[in-house]
Amino acid sequence: MENPPGTIGPGWLIKVSSRTARPDPGACPTHLRTAVRPLVAAEPPAPFRRAPREDFAPGPLFAALDLWEQDGWPIGRVLDELRGIRGAFRGRSAPAHPSLMAWTVQAFERYAAARGEEQAAARAAGLPPTVPVRLGWTARSKKKDAPDARGGQQYEHTAWGRQYASADGFVRDLWIPSLGRAKADRAAAEKAAIAHVMANGAPTPRRRRGDTPPKDATANTRLPERVRVFDFGCADGSVTPLLDWHRTEVQNRFMADAAPAFVAAATGAGTRPGASCVDCKAISGCAALHRTPRLWGAASTAPMRGRRSVSAWDLRLHGECPAQYHLVRQLHLNDLSAENDGARRGRAVDTWLNQRHADRPVRGCRDLPIPDASSLPAAHPLEGPLAHVAVRMLTEHRVLCPLNGIGSNEQVLVQHRVTAYVPELDVVVLAVPDLLYTRRGDWIWRETKTASSPVWEGRSLLRSYPQLALAVLLFSAGALDADPRRSWVEFEHLREGRGESRLERIDPSQPVVVAEAREIIADLAQPLLDDASYEPTTGRHCHGCQARTWCKPGTAYVAEHPQGVGRHPDAAEADHFADRGSIHA
């Protein structure tokens, strides 16, 4: 297969991880096709820029587990090492945030306890103990003389996690850390891909980037007869057995579930701009990705960091507390604290609206039955007074619904990702409007927010809700292929009281509006892009921070300023406007 524009290099080696088989409707086919070909590179080449902080949350945890499981350190010594570190931990490339190290201490203790308990249960069941495997398993085919229909001559399969094997090689175990609770299950294709590597892989040294593998297939004289996979929850120590298969079942599952996913990844065509753009080798040649230079007027300086994505919620969260942005948005840490009522209500209303607006043929909510508590989404259950408040907000929406009276030839896009690229900063901008729709062919961007209090009149609407400012800039820069003179941004502010909700319209073609939006986004974006330390800033947001457990200043602030239990009162808005589609283990 030919390389897509913007890439160079041979494509005969196809290397896939078990994560490649994980379903992702938002993934870009061209990104996947180049990602599984490690010898294909970006053209022009992308310079390597080291992150100022550890940006892989399990990295220090795995380094600590190596000390315990492979180097024989006692648990107490490992914990002392973790608590005393003030820079990069044990060969990691960048210093870890102090809160990440505090998280690592807890995760390490939980993992060691969970692993001990599982091994005791296995012995009681008559299974042999399993010990750590130092080199990761790789299943590699022999290199063929000629490429196949996919352009491949050699294939490699890998899986991520902590690897263990019994002394006789009969049993292999894999433990996969999840940053929150242990996952109850994983996709069938991903499980089959993991099992294939465990059943057929051999311990293999890591190669340097760009090096080619040996031409021979991996060989292992002691392939297992039984493979077991466990999901481990770093936030609470929970463990879920994901699979326990014998060799014959592994092959059948691989062919039925994983192989089609890998073929699709290796042969995908077309482009789908979105989160995939951050890691895509083909970005310089992608015609589908809108270039928006100087989107917020930033100076054309060389980027200090590798390519990143930025959303309105990223900007707002960093403006509130840089540490919270780094720990929650970049590292995806989560202390499993309960959402407050406002967040739960906002999520339920949001889901109900998305489902109704996605119905086909399109109908306005005014023409649908009046909602009641029984019609609220089962995935976000509400009870008692909270359910009644949500219903009253949805009743208010019936009057303001943008699809009331819409023509059959108009376009309606629910939760459609809008993507733009700021080339001089090497930044991918991501936005997900609640609704994009047309009226007589003119595009309209609708954002909806549920709230218990009215809009604060003493502050600009764009500054209160930066997602609106970003929408203005994206329209103005042509990121939606729409004429800003014939487009507008709408803000629907839903409250429970009859007649208290508001609908505001913002004109993205007005120079004064664009200038204000550019100033707002610049005030938020430049500090984020320049930040190299992510120091905590305390305030009332600490009460709802998902990483506060590991943040000393935040914990101290909450102790000195107690308030109601649950997440920050603005969490409903935060979740509602969050950048959707983050991928983590």
Side-chain angles (χ1 to χ4, degrees):
M1 299 183 70
E2 292 185 1
N3 287 345
T7 61
I8 192 172
W12 57 263
L13 175 62
I14 297 178
K15 182 176 182 179
V16 294
S17 73
S18 53
R19 291 186 177 189
T20 307
R22 185 184 300 174
D24 181 7
C28 172
T30 294
H31 163 66
L32 287 177
R33 181 157 55 92
T34 56
V36 301
R37 289 173 165 82
L39 302 182
V40 171
E43 178 60 32
F48 174 74
R49 306 184 187 103
R50 191 181 303 277
R53 286 284 194 187
E54 172 69 64
D55 57 0
F56 181 54
L61 172 62
F62 271 44
L65 290 172
D66 286 345
L67 294 176
W68 173 51
E69 294 182 327
Q70 297 175 0
D71 296 345
W73 283 32
I75 289 178
R77 183 183 175 190
V78 176
L79 292 173
D80 288 343
E81 184 83 0
L82 286 171
R83 293 184 177 116
I85 199 70
R86 292 296 180 269
F89 182 72
R90 287 284 160 175
R92 301 299 300 173
S93 61
H97 195 280
S99 295
L100 175 59
M101 295 309 298
W103 176 90
T104 302
V105 168
Q106 290 189 357
F108 175 84
E109 291 180 301
R110 289 169 177 151
Y111 188 95
R115 172 82 179 140
E117 291 171 4
E118 187 281 322
Q119 283 291 279
R123 286 193 298 270
L127 288 173
T130 56
V131 297
V133 176
R134 185 175 290 272
L135 296 178
W137 294 314
T138 298
R140 184 179 64 243
S141 68
K142 182 179 179 179
K143 186 179 180 182
K144 298 177 180 179
D145 294 331
D148 57 22
R150 295 180 287 275
Q153 293 175 254
Q154 192 171 29
Y155 291 80
E156 286 189 319
H157 294 259
T158 63
W160 180 79
R162 304 296 299 180
Q163 302 178 150
Y164 307 89
S166 59
D168 59 6
F170 183 84
V171 178
R172 283 182 176 179
D173 292 343
L174 184 77
W175 283 54
I176 307 175
S178 290
L179 300 182
R181 295 184 178 89
K183 289 180 172 57
D185 199 3
R186 289 182 182 248
E190 184 179 4
K191 291 193 295 184
I194 294 169
H196 172 72
V197 174
M198 296 176 67
N200 301 291
T204 307
R206 295 185 64 181
R207 298 191 305 272
R208 291 181 304 177
R209 184 187 299 271
D211 285 357
T212 58
K215 294 183 179 181
D216 295 330
T218 48
N220 196 323
T221 57
R222 294 192 301 176
L223 291 175
E225 292 298 321
R226 184 175 182 179
V227 297
R228 306 187 309 160
V229 178
F230 301 88
D231 205 290
F232 169 74
C234 294
D236 63 356
S238 56
V239 178
T240 301
L242 292 179
L243 64 88
D244 185 349
W245 296 346
H246 287 271
R247 289 196 63 82
T248 54
E249 185 175 4
V250 171
Q251 181 63 15
N252 293 335
R253 296 282 190 114
F254 177 81
M255 295 306 297
D257 298 326
F262 288 141
V263 170
T267 60
T271 52
R272 186 176 296 123
S276 297
C277 298
V278 176
D279 300 313
C280 188
K281 303 172 187 176
I283 192 170
S284 69
C286 182
L289 178 61
H290 287 92
R291 269 69 175 171
T292 55
R294 296 182 63 82
L295 182 63
W296 52 81
S300 299
T301 56
M304 300 191 307
R305 218 75 49 79
R307 188 180 307 140
R308 289 177 283 175
S309 65
V310 168
S311 69
W313 179 230
D314 289 330
L315 300 176
R316 179 163 184 158
L317 198 62
H318 184 274
E320 198 171 62
C321 174
Q324 186 176 196
Y325 160 77
H326 174 64
L327 299 167
V328 176
R329 294 292 289 156
Q330 291 189 310
L331 301 182
H332 309 296
L333 302 190
N334 184 350
D335 65 2
L336 307 180
S337 56
E339 291 183 317
N340 71 2
D341 287 350
R344 294 175 56 217
R345 177 202 65 213
R347 199 181 297 279
V349 170
D350 187 37
T351 301
W352 190 95
L353 292 175
N354 291 339
Q355 292 172 347
R356 298 302 175 272
H357 294 161
D359 285 344
R360 297 296 180 268
V362 175
R363 287 194 298 170
C365 293
R366 185 175 55 198
D367 300 326
L368 296 172
I370 297 175
D372 58 27
S374 65
S375 67
L376 294 175
H380 304 290
L382 302 178
E383 57 285 323
L386 197 59
H388 293 304
V389 170
V391 167
R392 287 195 290 270
M393 289 179 170
L394 291 172
T395 302
E396 284 284 293
H397 168 77
R398 295 178 78 240
V399 178
L400 303 176
C401 179
L403 306 185
N404 289 338
I406 194 168
S408 59
N409 61 333
E410 302 289 5
Q411 298 184 61
V412 176
L413 304 175
V414 180
Q415 299 290 312
H416 175 76
R417 187 180 295 279
V418 178
T419 308
Y421 181 53
V422 185
E424 71 275 12
L425 300 176
D426 202 13
V427 166
V428 177
V429 178
L430 302 174
V432 185
D434 289 314
L435 202 63
L436 276 174
Y437 68 102
T438 59
R439 285 279 184 179
R440 294 181 293 279
D442 300 338
W443 279 103
I444 305 165
W445 177 314
R446 171 71 69 102
E447 294 284 6
T448 302
K449 179 190 182 298
T450 60
S452 57
S453 56
V455 175
W456 183 29
E457 300 290 350
R459 194 181 192 194
S460 158
L461 196 62
L462 297 187
R463 194 165 289 278
S464 294
Y465 306 101
Q467 59 275 8
L468 302 177
L470 190 59
V472 167
L473 294 187
L474 291 171
F475 260 136
S476 178
L480 287 88
D481 289 326
D483 185 347
R485 295 171 299 178
R486 300 181 57 192
S487 309
W488 63 88
V489 178
E490 294 180 333
F491 178 60
E492 180 179 352
H493 191 259
L494 287 179
R495 299 185 62 205
E496 63 174 302
R498 186 172 182 179
E500 292 181 349
S501 299
R502 288 176 53 182
L503 179 63
E504 300 285 347
R505 286 186 176 181
I506 303 163
D507 186 350
S509 69
Q510 293 296 316
V512 64
V513 175
V514 175
E516 182 187 7
R518 184 170 288 123
E519 178 184 351
I520 290 166
I521 298 301
D523 288 347
L524 294 170
Q526 212 55 49
L528 183 154
L529 296 176
D530 293 342
D531 201 347
S533 59
Y534 305 112
E535 296 297 327
T537 302
T538 58
R540 68 190 188 102
H541 52 268
C542 293
H543 288 273
C545 177
Q546 293 176 326
R548 191 192 70 230
T549 300
W550 310 288
C551 177
K552 287 184 178 180
T555 300
Y557 177 89
V558 169
E560 296 169 2
H561 304 83
Q563 72 173 36
V565 176
R567 294 175 63 186
H568 188 277
D570 287 342
E573 176 188 341
D575 287 319
H576 189 68
F577 289 119
D579 170 30
R580 301 162 177 86
S582 298
I583 299 173
H584 30 121

